Amino acid sequence: MAFADRATIYIRSGKGGDGHVSFRREMYVPAGGPDGGDGGRGGDIIFEVNEGLNTLADFRFHKKYCASNGEDGGTKRCSGKDGADLILQVPEGTVILEAESGKVIADLSHENRRVTVLKGGRGGKGNQHYATATMQIPKYAQPGQAAKELTVILELKVIADVGLIGFPNVGKSTLLSIVTNAKPKIANYPFTTLNPNLGVVDLEGTDGFVIADIPGLIEGASEGIGLGHEFLRHIERTKVLIHLVDAASSEGRDPIEDIKKINLELASYNSDLLKKPQIIAANKMDIFYENEGDQVIERIREAFSKENYPVFPISAVSKAGVKDLLYAVNDLLKTINTAPIVFEPEYIEQNTVLQEPYSVSYNQKEQVYVVEGPRIERMLGYTNIDSEKGFEFFQNFLKTNGILEELEALGICDGDTVRMYGLEFDYYK
């Protein structure tokens, strides 16, 4: 199974509970005022770093995550219960992207341990909040704010100072195992390592550094061939690259061509990757007889003299030259900005406006349709219905807010009377 370091999931926060419409009904209080309670807040969608995780495997099988809705308000000013937040645990280094645009929502690494990606909807206000001098028995309450939904991509980008790159079977896992506390599984297959292995290099007299064995790349990796994208993704946070090659050509490949091919894949995936400092580690020098390897090392140095890539002959098996390589890497890291590489947020969430309440009802006794609500009252206060433009605005307001639709649902016919506070008019479609 491939290393699960990328997953696409659907997330939705909880809807806010609706405000309630009710009136006090107590003995000796024949005309009690409004006492509808507020709706509860919907649950948030929260992502949190879990130190015990190192893959996104769980998200490959479960694709939909929804927080709880807030409860509706009740009578006697009782508020609805808030919806429970949903906390999704991910490994450190997880970058959350908005699926459609690919923009970064959050990067859960270093100091960023927890982030709320979707806020739950606010609960609606009960009718107790809408009593005014002109409307003492409001028959409307505020609906809860809608849930927010998003499809996101989770990408795990390994956090390491140094990335160990190269073709399969050049000895990366062997080198990692002798210089760190990591114990990678090693076998002779085209894709030797499926998991990026991390280890800490402890060097005497230094603070040491974290190194990651980036699984073996192949030609076409930048186009997603093989497991290319999954592996290239992990190189983005590293500061220095150790480019390991089989200097002895034990599998019949030319080390210089190997370096060029891998660098071409890096550039095709992200041109910034080639700006990272590289040190070439020419491995398997123990295979050569006496000074035969010197010519190969000289050829590699000459081939990459323009790029100023230092070349270190080593043997991961005998450990020859390994210490010199590690101290050179450590010295190079000191010259590079030590600030952690964190991907800055780019995605801006669209705010949802909390809908204002209104009610549409039919008064059987007076045979009139009644429309009430604070926004409607305000609209009538600043709109001159007598003017042509004002009346056109008024009609459009009724249509876009769904009021005409609700009147029709109640059975209104041409010529029926509609009342809005002090205004009465005949309805014609």
Side-chain angles (χ1 to χ4, degrees), residues 22 31 56 58 69-70 105 111 114 117 125 130 152 169 240 280 310 327 352 364 371 389 399 401 426:
S22 61
L56 295 168
D58 291 348
N69 295 333
I105 297 172
E111 301 300 317
R114 182 181 169 106
V117 172
K125 294 179 180 178
Y130 296 107
V152 297
N169 299 334
V240 171
I280 296 173
Y327 275 106
T352 306
Q364 184 74 42
V371 181
K389 264 192 176 179
K399 184 178 181 181
N401 284 275
D426 294 334

Side-chain angles (χ1 to χ4, degrees), residues 190-223:
F191 282 102
T192 295
T193 311
L194 290 183
N195 289 25
N197 292 292
L198 269 74
V200 178
V201 176
D202 292 316
L203 283 175
E204 194 176 336
T206 75
D207 294 332
F209 52 86
V210 178
I211 186 171
D213 162 23
I214 307 300
L217 298 173
I218 59 172
E219 289 179 81
S222 60
E223 298 165 12

Side-chain angles (χ1 to χ4, degrees), residues 184-355:
K185 294 178 181 177
I186 301 168
N188 190 30
Y189 295 108
F191 282 102
T192 295
T193 311
L194 290 183
N195 289 25
N197 292 292
L198 269 74
V200 178
V201 176
D202 292 316
L203 283 175
E204 194 176 336
T206 75
D207 294 332
F209 52 86
V210 178
I211 186 171
D213 162 23
I214 307 300
L217 298 173
I218 59 172
E219 289 179 81
S222 60
E223 298 165 12
I225 295 175
L227 300 175
H229 274 161
E230 282 77 357
F231 297 159
L232 286 162
R233 194 170 291 122
H234 296 295
I235 305 174
E236 293 184 89
R237 284 197 206 268
T238 58
K239 297 170 184 174
V240 171
L241 300 177
I242 297 177
H243 203 142
L244 200 66
V245 290
D246 177 358
S249 302
S250 61
E251 294 194 352
R253 292 196 315 269
D254 177 24
I256 292 173
E257 287 304 308
D258 276 7
I259 294 169
K260 288 180 178 178
K261 286 173 182 176
I262 293 291
N263 281 348
L264 183 62
E265 295 305 323
L266 297 184
S268 299
Y269 177 74
N270 181 346
S271 59
D272 288 340
L273 295 181
L274 275 192
K275 297 176 185 176
K276 295 180 184 291
Q278 278 191 39
I279 292 180
I280 296 173
N283 192 26
K284 304 190 181 182
M285 295 300 292
D286 54 294
I287 295 177
F288 290 105
Y289 289 106
E290 295 184 357
N291 298 325
E292 281 183 349
D294 294 346
Q295 294 177 8
V296 176
I297 296 301
E298 193 54 41
R299 198 163 65 88
I300 295 173
R301 283 185 175 135
E302 191 176 328
F304 298 99
S305 58
K306 288 183 180 178
E307 289 84 354
N308 292 318
Y309 293 164
V311 181
F312 285 81
I314 70 164
S315 168
V317 173
S318 70
K319 302 183 184 179
V322 170
K323 190 171 281 189
D324 291 340
L325 169 68
L326 297 178
Y327 275 106
V329 171
N330 190 72
D331 290 342
L332 186 55
L333 283 170
K334 289 177 184 175
T335 68
I336 299 169
N337 182 6
T338 55
I341 297 172
V342 177
F343 298 93
E344 295 298 326
E346 304 164 323
Y347 177 75
I348 300 172
E349 184 188 338
Q350 301 299 313
N351 290 324
T352 306
V353 178
L354 194 62
Q355 185 182 342

